Amino acid sequence: MIKGCNLIGGAESAGTGSQFRAIEAASGHSLEPAWKAASDYDIARACDLAAEAFVPYRQTSAEERAAFLDTIADNILAVGDELVTRCMAETGLPRGRIEGERGRTMTQLRLFAEVLRDGTHLEIRHDAALPDRSPAPRPDLRLINQPLGPVAVFAASNFPLAFSVAGGDTASALAAGCPVLVKAHSAHPGTSELVGRAIMAAASQCGMPEGVFALLYGPGSTIGQALVAHPAIKAVGFTGSRGGGTALMRTAAARPCPIPVYAEMSSINPVYLFPGALAERAEEIAKEFIGSLTLGAGQFCTNPGLVVAVEGEGLDRFLSTASETLKTVPAQVMLTSGICQSYIDGVKKLSEHAAVTEIGRGATGSSAEGQAALFKVDAETFLADPELHAEVFGAASLVIACNNTKSFSRVAEALEGQLTCALHIADSDHSLAAGLMPKFEELAGRILCNGFGTGVEVAHAMVHGGPFPATSDSRSTSVGSLAIARFLRPVCYQDFPVALLPEALK
């Protein structure tokens, strides 16, 4: 099924741009076939078809779109083991992780099918007319959410299924009634094509307009920028680096008609260890922390990259157990050679910092594998050195040792916006935690108690977002049913004849 093609308008396009192949993450060997980047004509055609598809697609019923999403989920599963093995080769992730992520991808699609069927995303409101009201009558007002228009989605490197071609951005945009154009990630092009073909087949099976979906390959600096600049595109979903996200934000803002960019970018996800919790269960927390830190080679946007605690016997026990546990963790293949090298450079920078102490390392491995690492620094040094605040994408974390609990607040105030903030507390810590809650609420989109941020539940109440630079818009989420709101806008109908109203408002 993998032919090395762009997918546009329900058909294959060979592309005419630069050629590239997928790289096997573990060996560095190239994989067949080769792809060619989408041409300017390909991009323009995909955008024009999406614009043409928008009106007929948005006019499909909620049930028709729900069936479309369910069919995509069925088709992804039907690809079978070919999808799993190709994804394993391109990412270095183990079978269990890929199979789990495939299940999550299907769950997301079915969640938005459920949202469409219950209609809550429409947020219907009605103020009945008051013709006899004094001093002025009130008109009949009815509100409903309507889709924005074609959406450009950028696939993520670290989630080749759940945040990629048929990931949450695509699922929520299609549910909203928006055609989707996906810029495939060059790290897993074969995986992307297999999923793209599943979506394309579902569109045909469900009678959707040909421009409802497109899959385009090529460099983000050219293909991505061209997509975001095209007037047919009305919103952007992005998961990736801070540099990439802000570049797209600048392009979107510079358009004659600016558009929203929903970018998930950078987060170090601080973990606060309160004194009572450390006194009661320092060793238990340490083991769970190392498990979270090293999960998937630390290549999660919610990886716990920072730990904040007060110096003392409890922290000493935590560090001792964390160090011993870390020694047993094998090095793990990282997604790409570039990501691996960036991780090695980040760890080296921490290890060479004069005020940073190395607490422990995991087992060594090959040049394609990341060795887990844990470091410690005092709070005053951390607060004075902004470079220590930078994300190291991988299984590395920095422990900030505070003189007292007053430093908890100072560290929280110094941090940029985060996706998550985890609090480990005992009953004796409730008073201290309550006083700090306003700062934690300003800091992150999701606050956890006695847990870790890795593992983002696909559910109605989930928020996977946060203040900049965690995301470009702290009012949004890219996981959970509320993600559909990014691609909708409210429209009010005043004194309309019932026959002309949208069906749901009649």
Coordinates of all heavy atoms in Angstrom, one line a residue, residues 417-480:
G417 N 4.8 29.1 30.6 CA 3.6 28.3 30.6 C 3.9 26.9 30.4 O 4.8 26.5 29.6
Q418 N 3.1 26.0 31.0 CA 3.3 24.6 31.0 C 2.0 23.8 30.6 O 0.9 24.3 30.8 CB 3.8 24.0 32.3 CG 5.0 24.8 32.9 CD 6.3 24.5 32.0 OE1 6.4 23.4 31.5 NE2 7.2 25.5 32.0
L419 N 2.2 22.6 30.0 CA 1.1 21.7 29.8 C 0.6 21.2 31.1 O -0.7 21.1 31.3 CB 1.5 20.6 28.9 CG 1.8 21.0 27.4 CD1 2.4 19.8 26.7 CD2 0.5 21.5 26.7
T420 N 1.5 20.7 32.0 CA 1.1 20.1 33.2 C 1.9 20.6 34.4 O 3.0 21.1 34.2 CB 1.2 18.5 33.2 OG1 2.6 18.2 33.2 CG2 0.6 18.0 31.9
C421 N 1.4 20.5 35.6 CA 2.1 20.7 36.8 C 1.6 19.6 37.8 O 0.4 19.6 38.0 CB 1.8 22.1 37.3 SG 2.7 22.5 38.9
A422 N 2.5 18.8 38.3 CA 2.1 17.7 39.2 C 2.5 18.1 40.6 O 3.6 18.5 40.9 CB 2.8 16.4 38.8
L423 N 1.5 17.8 41.6 CA 1.8 18.1 43.0 C 1.7 16.8 43.7 O 0.7 16.0 43.6 CB 0.7 19.0 43.5 CG 0.3 20.3 42.7 CD1 -0.8 21.0 43.4 CD2 1.5 21.1 42.4
H424 N 2.8 16.5 44.5 CA 2.7 15.3 45.3 C 2.6 15.8 46.7 O 3.5 16.4 47.3 CB 4.0 14.4 45.1 CG 4.0 13.7 43.8 ND1 3.6 12.4 43.7 CD2 4.2 14.1 42.5 CE1 3.6 12.0 42.4 NE2 4.0 13.1 41.7
I425 N 1.4 15.4 47.3 CA 1.1 16.0 48.6 C 0.5 14.9 49.6 O 0.0 13.9 49.1 CB 0.0 17.1 48.5 CG1 -1.3 16.6 47.9 CG2 0.6 18.3 47.7 CD1 -2.4 17.6 47.8
A426 N 0.7 15.2 50.8 CA 0.0 14.4 51.9 C -1.0 15.3 52.6 O -1.1 16.5 52.3 CB 1.1 13.9 52.9
D427 N -1.8 14.7 53.5 CA -2.8 15.5 54.2 C -2.2 16.7 54.9 O -2.8 17.8 54.9 CB -3.5 14.7 55.2 CG -4.4 13.6 54.6 OD1 -4.7 13.7 53.4 OD2 -4.9 12.7 55.3
S428 N -1.0 16.6 55.4 CA -0.3 17.7 56.1 C 0.1 18.8 55.2 O 0.5 19.9 55.7 CB 0.9 17.1 56.9 OG 1.9 16.5 56.0
D429 N 0.1 18.6 53.9 CA 0.5 19.6 52.9 C -0.6 20.4 52.4 O -0.4 21.4 51.6 CB 1.2 18.9 51.7 CG 2.5 18.2 52.1 OD1 3.3 18.7 52.8 OD2 2.7 17.0 51.6
H430 N -1.8 20.1 52.8 CA -3.0 20.8 52.1 C -3.0 22.3 52.3 O -3.3 23.0 51.4 CB -4.3 20.2 52.7 CG -4.6 18.8 52.1 ND1 -5.8 18.2 52.4 CD2 -3.9 18.0 51.4 CE1 -5.8 17.1 51.7 NE2 -4.7 16.9 51.2
S431 N -2.6 22.8 53.5 CA -2.6 24.2 53.7 C -1.6 24.9 52.8 O -1.9 25.9 52.2 CB -2.3 24.5 55.2 OG -2.3 25.9 55.4
L432 N -0.4 24.3 52.7 CA 0.6 24.9 51.9 C 0.2 24.9 50.4 O 0.3 25.9 49.7 CB 1.9 24.2 52.0 CG 3.1 24.6 51.1 CD1 3.5 26.0 51.3 CD2 4.3 23.7 51.4
A433 N -0.3 23.7 50.0 CA -0.8 23.6 48.6 C -1.9 24.6 48.2 O -1.9 25.1 47.1 CB -1.2 22.2 48.3
A434 N -2.8 24.7 49.2 CA -4.0 25.6 48.9 C -3.5 27.1 48.6 O -4.0 27.8 47.8 CB -4.9 25.6 50.1
G435 N -2.5 27.5 49.4 CA -1.9 28.9 49.2 C -1.2 29.0 47.9 O -1.1 30.2 47.3
L436 N -0.7 27.9 47.3 CA 0.0 28.0 46.0 C -0.9 27.7 44.8 O -0.4 27.9 43.7 CB 1.2 27.0 46.0 CG 2.3 27.3 47.0 CD1 3.2 26.1 47.2 CD2 3.1 28.5 46.5
M437 N -2.1 27.3 45.0 CA -2.9 26.9 43.9 C -3.1 28.0 42.8 O -3.1 27.7 41.6 CB -4.3 26.4 44.4 CG -4.2 24.9 44.9 SD -3.6 23.7 43.7 CE -4.9 23.9 42.4
P438 N -3.3 29.3 43.2 CA -3.5 30.3 42.2 C -2.3 30.4 41.3 O -2.5 30.6 40.1 CB -3.7 31.6 43.0 CG -4.2 31.1 44.3 CD -3.6 29.8 44.6
K439 N -1.1 30.2 41.8 CA 0.1 30.2 40.9 C 0.1 29.0 40.0 O 0.5 29.1 38.8 CB 1.4 30.3 41.8 CG 1.4 31.5 42.6 CD 2.8 31.7 43.2 CE 2.8 33.0 44.1 NZ 2.5 34.2 43.4
F440 N -0.2 27.8 40.5 CA -0.2 26.6 39.7 C -1.3 26.7 38.6 O -1.1 26.3 37.4 CB -0.5 25.4 40.5 CG 0.6 25.1 41.5 CD1 0.3 24.6 42.8 CD2 2.0 25.3 41.2 CE1 1.3 24.4 43.7 CE2 3.0 25.1 42.1 CZ 2.7 24.6 43.3
E441 N -2.4 27.4 38.9 CA -3.5 27.5 37.9 C -3.1 28.5 36.8 O -3.5 28.3 35.7 CB -4.8 28.0 38.6 CG -5.4 27.0 39.5 CD -6.4 27.5 40.5 OE1 -6.4 28.7 40.7 OE2 -7.1 26.7 41.2
E442 N -2.3 29.5 37.2 CA -1.8 30.4 36.1 C -0.7 29.7 35.3 O -0.5 30.1 34.1 CB -1.2 31.7 36.8 CG -2.2 32.6 37.5 CD -1.5 33.7 38.2 OE1 -0.3 34.0 37.8 OE2 -2.2 34.4 39.0
L443 N 0.0 28.7 35.9 CA 1.1 28.1 35.2 C 0.8 27.1 34.2 O 1.5 27.0 33.1 CB 2.0 27.5 36.3 CG 3.3 26.8 35.9 CD1 4.3 27.8 35.2 CD2 3.9 26.1 37.1
A444 N -0.2 26.3 34.4 CA -0.4 25.1 33.6 C -1.9 24.9 33.2 O -2.8 25.4 33.8 CB 0.1 23.9 34.3
G445 N -2.1 24.1 32.1 CA -3.4 23.7 31.7 C -4.0 22.6 32.4 O -5.2 22.4 32.5
R446 N -3.2 21.7 33.0 CA -3.6 20.5 33.7 C -2.8 20.4 35.0 O -1.6 20.4 34.9 CB -3.5 19.3 32.9 CG -3.9 18.0 33.6 CD -4.2 16.8 32.6 NE -3.1 16.5 31.8 CZ -2.4 15.3 31.9 NH1 -2.7 14.4 32.8 NH2 -1.4 15.1 31.1
I447 N -3.4 20.3 36.1 CA -2.8 20.2 37.4 C -3.1 18.8 38.0 O -4.3 18.5 38.1 CB -3.2 21.3 38.4 CG1 -3.1 22.7 37.7 CG2 -2.3 21.3 39.6 CD1 -3.8 23.8 38.5
L448 N -2.1 18.0 38.3 CA -2.3 16.7 38.8 C -1.9 16.6 40.2 O -1.0 17.3 40.7 CB -1.4 15.7 38.0 CG -1.5 15.6 36.5 CD1 -0.5 16.5 35.8 CD2 -1.3 14.1 36.1
C449 N -2.6 15.7 40.9 CA -2.3 15.5 42.3 C -1.9 14.0 42.5 O -2.6 13.1 42.1 CB -3.6 15.7 43.2 SG -3.2 15.7 45.0
N450 N -0.7 13.9 43.0 CA -0.1 12.5 43.3 C 0.0 11.6 42.1 O -0.4 10.5 42.1 CB -0.8 11.8 44.4 CG -0.7 12.6 45.7 OD1 0.3 13.2 46.0 ND2 -1.7 12.5 46.6
G451 N 0.4 12.2 41.0 CA 0.6 11.5 39.7 C 1.6 12.2 38.8 O 2.2 13.2 39.3
F452 N 1.7 11.8 37.6 CA 2.6 12.4 36.6 C 1.8 12.6 35.3 O 0.9 11.9 35.0 CB 3.8 11.5 36.4 CG 4.7 11.4 37.6 CD1 4.5 10.3 38.5 CD2 5.6 12.4 37.9 CE1 5.3 10.2 39.7 CE2 6.4 12.3 39.0 CZ 6.3 11.2 39.9
G453 N 2.3 13.6 34.6 CA 1.5 14.1 33.4 C 1.6 13.1 32.2 O 0.7 13.2 31.3
T454 N 2.5 12.2 32.2 CA 2.6 11.3 31.1 C 1.3 10.4 31.1 O 1.0 9.8 32.2 CB 3.8 10.4 31.1 OG1 4.1 10.0 32.5 CG2 5.0 11.2 30.7
G455 N 0.6 10.3 30.0 CA -0.6 9.6 30.0 C -1.7 10.6 30.0 O -2.2 11.1 31.0
V456 N -2.2 11.0 28.8 CA -3.2 12.0 28.6 C -4.5 11.3 28.2 O -4.6 10.8 27.1 CB -2.8 13.0 27.5 CG1 -3.9 14.1 27.4 CG2 -1.4 13.6 27.9
E457 N -5.5 11.3 29.1 CA -6.7 10.6 28.8 C -7.5 11.3 27.8 O -7.7 12.5 27.8 CB -7.5 10.5 30.1 CG -8.8 9.7 30.0 CD -8.5 8.2 29.9 OE1 -7.4 7.7 30.4 OE2 -9.4 7.5 29.4
V458 N -8.1 10.5 26.8 CA -9.0 11.0 25.8 C -10.4 11.1 26.4 O -11.0 10.0 26.5 CB -8.9 10.2 24.5 CG1 -9.9 10.7 23.5 CG2 -7.5 10.1 24.0
A459 N -10.8 12.2 26.9 CA -12.0 12.3 27.6 C -12.6 13.7 27.5 O -12.0 14.6 27.0 CB -11.8 12.0 29.1
H460 N -13.8 13.9 28.0 CA -14.5 15.2 27.8 C -13.9 16.3 28.7 O -13.8 17.4 28.3 CB -16.0 15.0 28.2 CG -16.8 14.1 27.3 ND1 -17.1 14.5 26.0 CD2 -17.3 12.9 27.5 CE1 -17.7 13.5 25.4 NE2 -17.9 12.5 26.3
A461 N -13.4 15.9 29.9 CA -12.8 17.0 30.8 C -11.3 17.2 30.6 O -10.8 18.0 31.4 CB -13.2 16.6 32.2
M462 N -10.7 16.5 29.7 CA -9.2 16.7 29.6 C -8.9 18.0 28.9 O -9.5 18.5 28.0 CB -8.7 15.5 28.7 CG -7.2 15.6 28.4 SD -6.1 15.8 29.9 CE -6.5 14.3 30.7
V463 N -7.8 18.6 29.4 CA -7.1 19.8 28.8 C -5.7 19.4 28.5 O -4.9 19.1 29.4 CB -7.2 21.0 29.8 CG1 -6.4 22.1 29.2 CG2 -8.6 21.5 29.9
H464 N -5.4 19.5 27.3 CA -4.0 19.3 26.8 C -3.6 20.6 26.2 O -3.6 20.8 24.9 CB -3.8 18.1 25.9 CG -2.4 17.8 25.6 ND1 -1.5 17.4 26.6 CD2 -1.7 17.8 24.4 CE1 -0.3 17.1 26.0 NE2 -0.4 17.4 24.7
G465 N -3.2 21.6 27.0 CA -2.9 22.9 26.5 C -2.4 23.7 27.7 O -2.2 23.2 28.8
G466 N -2.1 25.0 27.5 CA -1.5 25.8 28.6 C -1.0 27.1 28.1 O -1.0 27.3 26.9
P467 N -0.6 28.0 29.0 CA -0.1 29.3 28.6 C 1.2 29.1 27.7 O 1.9 28.1 27.8 CB 0.2 30.0 29.9 CG -0.6 29.3 30.9 CD -0.7 27.9 30.5
F468 N 1.4 30.1 26.9 CA 2.6 30.2 26.0 C 3.9 30.0 26.9 O 4.0 30.5 28.0 CB 2.7 31.5 25.3 CG 3.7 31.6 24.3 CD1 3.5 31.2 23.0 CD2 5.0 32.1 24.6 CE1 4.5 31.2 22.0 CE2 6.0 32.2 23.7 CZ 5.8 31.8 22.4
P469 N 4.8 29.2 26.4 CA 4.9 28.5 25.1 C 4.4 27.1 25.0 O 4.7 26.4 24.1 CB 6.4 28.5 24.8 CG 7.0 28.3 26.2 CD 6.1 29.1 27.1
A470 N 3.8 26.6 26.1 CA 3.2 25.3 26.0 C 2.3 25.2 24.8 O 2.3 24.2 24.0 CB 2.4 25.0 27.3
T471 N 1.4 26.2 24.6 CA 0.6 26.3 23.4 C 0.5 27.8 23.1 O 0.9 28.7 23.8 CB -0.8 25.8 23.7 OG1 -1.5 26.6 24.7 CG2 -0.8 24.3 24.1
S472 N 0.1 28.0 21.8 CA -0.1 29.4 21.4 C -1.3 30.1 21.9 O -1.5 31.3 21.8 CB -0.1 29.4 19.8 OG -1.1 28.5 19.3
D473 N -2.3 29.3 22.4 CA -3.6 29.8 22.8 C -4.0 29.0 24.1 O -4.4 27.9 24.0 CB -4.6 29.7 21.8 CG -5.9 30.5 22.1 OD1 -6.2 30.6 23.3 OD2 -6.7 30.9 21.2
S474 N -3.9 29.6 25.2 CA -4.1 28.9 26.5 C -5.6 28.6 26.7 O -5.9 27.9 27.6 CB -3.6 29.7 27.7 OG -4.3 31.0 27.8
R475 N -6.5 29.1 25.8 CA -7.9 28.9 26.0 C -8.3 27.6 25.3 O -9.5 27.2 25.3 CB -8.7 30.0 25.4 CG -8.5 31.4 26.0 CD -9.0 32.5 25.2 NE -8.3 32.6 23.9 CZ -8.6 33.5 23.0 NH1 -9.6 34.3 23.2 NH2 -7.9 33.5 21.8
S476 N -7.4 26.9 24.7 CA -7.7 25.7 23.8 C -7.1 24.4 24.4 O -6.2 24.5 25.2 CB -7.2 25.9 22.4 OG -5.8 26.0 22.3
T477 N -7.5 23.3 23.9 CA -7.0 22.0 24.2 C -6.9 21.2 22.9 O -7.7 21.4 22.0 CB -7.8 21.2 25.2 OG1 -7.2 19.9 25.4 CG2 -9.2 21.1 24.8
S478 N -5.9 20.4 22.7 CA -5.7 19.5 21.6 C -6.2 18.1 21.8 O -6.1 17.2 20.9 CB -4.3 19.5 21.0 OG -3.4 19.1 22.0
V479 N -6.5 17.8 23.1 CA -7.0 16.4 23.5 C -8.3 16.6 24.2 O -8.5 17.5 25.0 CB -6.0 15.7 24.3 CG1 -6.5 14.3 24.8 CG2 -4.7 15.5 23.6
G480 N -9.2 15.7 24.0 CA -10.5 15.7 24.6 C -11.6 16.4 23.7 O -11.3 17.0 22.7

